[in-house]
Amino acid sequence: MNWFEVKVKTTSMAVDAVTNLLYELGAQGIVVEDPNDPIFNEGYEGDWDYFDRSEIKFEFEGALVKAYMEMEAPEALIPVIQAQVADLSTFGLDPGLGEVEIKEVRESDWANEWKKYYHPVRIGRHLIIKPSWEQVLDAEPLDLVIELDPGGAFGSGTHETTTMCAELLEENLVQGSKVYDIGCGSGILAIVAAKLGAGEVVAADIDPAAVEVTRENVEANQVTDVIQVCEGDLMQVVDSPADLVVTNIIADVVASLADSMKSYLNPGAVWISSGILDKKLSIVLEAMSKNGYEVLEVRERGEWRALLVRAGGHA
């Protein structure tokens, strides 16, 4: 089979979703070019380098996701990708142009070249995410390093929704806590929890591809003794409450979980949720209020919001 570069023209809002569906279709590496990404506009020191700004010329309003895939019939894949991207609107995401282009490339053109875009990134005070081929040269004594290869996971782990959840975990996780990561994706938040000293972590996802990737990342980070990875939804995989739950999904799902989640939180336990667009925040806050949660913080980053709430029954 030959290698192909798949380009999808979309929006900043839909970048993560488009990236996920391309990985599910067999992408082996992905590069994101997004002029609206704060990394592109402000160049935060230490942030993950998605691309070389000097080489990018944007000819449309939106973001470009480039995936590298091995396939036999690329033409047949174009309508499949177009349909899946267009379907993102049903989840409240603007797919943008949704145009798809595919061209053949030599394996040597991308197999190692795309890796130059990814470098260690610091999150919060002491969390560092790095790809396996990189070294952390400026680590401090209290730093915790999480190894995550963007070519084998659902995103690089540096999207605003993920970084906010990781920061809130760092600030609120109590040593020895029981933690649930629901909709674990690449497993990064479960791994963060384990590295921070959680006593027991359950990482669950309904997507078998996510479960496989999470297991690989858990093993790579040597936290298999702490993290249990399960396929299924929350009610299928756990039977007792936790001290902390983290869900980085989408606003409508977070709101729908507000009622049932109460059964999986110890009195006074905290729930970190993200993947919430600003325009959807009121829906989530209403659901939290209706179900008796105390809202401790609403964290903002770009157009995304993350919530820290506490379950009822606290002292």
Side-chain angles (χ1 to χ4, degrees):
M1 288 193 290
N2 297 324
W3 289 95
F4 293 85
E5 179 185 70
V6 180
K7 293 182 179 180
V8 180
K9 294 180 180 179
T10 185
T11 63
S12 301
M13 178 190 300
V15 160
D16 270 19
V18 171
T19 299
N20 288 353
L21 70 86
L22 289 172
Y23 275 126
E24 291 174 355
L25 290 171
Q28 298 299 307
I30 285 181
V31 173
V32 176
E33 299 174 2
D34 183 1
N36 296 312
D37 192 296
I39 297 173
F40 179 85
N41 289 319
E42 302 182 31
Y44 298 129
E45 183 178 357
D47 268 332
W48 206 299
D49 296 330
Y50 285 96
F51 46 81
D52 182 348
R53 301 176 188 84
S54 65
E55 297 181 359
I56 306 300
K57 292 181 175 62
F58 292 95
E59 300 174 349
F60 68 101
E61 292 287 333
L64 183 67
V65 180
K66 297 193 294 186
Y68 298 91
M69 307 170 69
E70 188 179 22
M71 65 185 92
E72 292 180 344
E75 298 82 4
L77 193 61
I78 292 177
V80 174
I81 297 173
Q82 288 175 330
Q84 292 191 22
V85 171
D87 193 49
L88 295 177
S89 61
T90 63
F91 299 98
L93 298 174
D94 178 8
L97 292 175
E99 295 178 2
V100 180
E101 300 177 13
I102 297 181
K103 71 173 183 179
E104 187 172 358
V105 295
R106 292 180 302 175
E107 183 174 358
S108 59
D109 289 339
W110 74 269
N112 292 306
E113 282 296 305
W114 68 273
K115 292 183 178 181
K116 70 184 180 183
Y117 295 103
Y118 296 95
H119 308 292
V121 55
R122 182 177 293 276
I123 296 175
R125 298 170 64 185
H126 296 295
L127 301 172
I128 297 176
I129 301 174
K130 80 169 193 73
S132 60
W133 60 86
E134 287 277 333
Q135 292 184 333
V136 179
L137 302 178
D138 59 347
E140 299 173 1
L142 297 178
D143 284 344
L144 301 171
V145 178
I146 295 96
E147 190 168 291
L148 186 74
D149 285 350
F154 299 160
S156 65
T158 59
H159 188 270
E160 291 97 328
T161 60
T162 308
T163 58
M164 287 190 289
C165 285
E167 291 168 1
L168 289 168
L169 278 170
E170 184 179 26
E171 296 163 15
N172 293 277
L173 189 145
V174 177
Q175 293 277 321
S177 295
K178 183 175 184 178
V179 177
Y180 295 155
D181 177 8
I182 307 304
C184 58
S186 66
I188 179 174
L189 295 175
I191 295 167
V192 166
K195 296 269 189 176
L196 288 169
E200 177 185 354
V201 181
V202 176
D205 204 295
I206 60 174
D207 183 352
V211 171
E212 181 180 354
V213 167
T214 295
R215 288 194 174 118
E216 293 173 355
N217 287 328
V218 167
E219 291 178 4
N221 284 277
Q222 300 179 338
V223 286
T224 54
D225 58 330
V226 178
I227 301 176
Q228 177 187 1
V229 185
C230 304
E231 181 180 341
D233 63 32
L234 180 64
M235 297 179 185
Q236 293 175 326
V237 300
V238 299
D239 56 7
S240 61
D243 304 306
L244 188 153
V245 173
V246 58
T247 52
N248 183 20
I249 36 184
I250 60 173
D252 292 337
V253 176
V254 172
S256 69
L257 286 173
D259 182 24
S260 59
M261 186 66 73
K262 291 182 290 186
S263 300
Y264 299 94
L265 292 166
N266 285 319
V270 293
W271 177 15
I272 298 166
S273 59
S274 192
I276 304 166
L277 285 167
D278 179 47
K279 66 181 182 180
K280 295 272 191 174
L281 178 61
S282 60
I283 297 172
V284 179
L285 289 174
E286 182 180 352
M288 295 298 183
S289 175
K290 178 181 177 182
N291 286 282
Y293 295 94
E294 177 187 5
V295 178
L296 302 176
E297 182 179 351
V298 178
R299 188 158 297 191
E300 303 179 359
R301 191 153 300 157
E303 61 189 344
W304 298 98
R305 304 293 178 264
L307 291 184
L308 174 69
V309 303
R310 182 158 55 196
H314 55 279

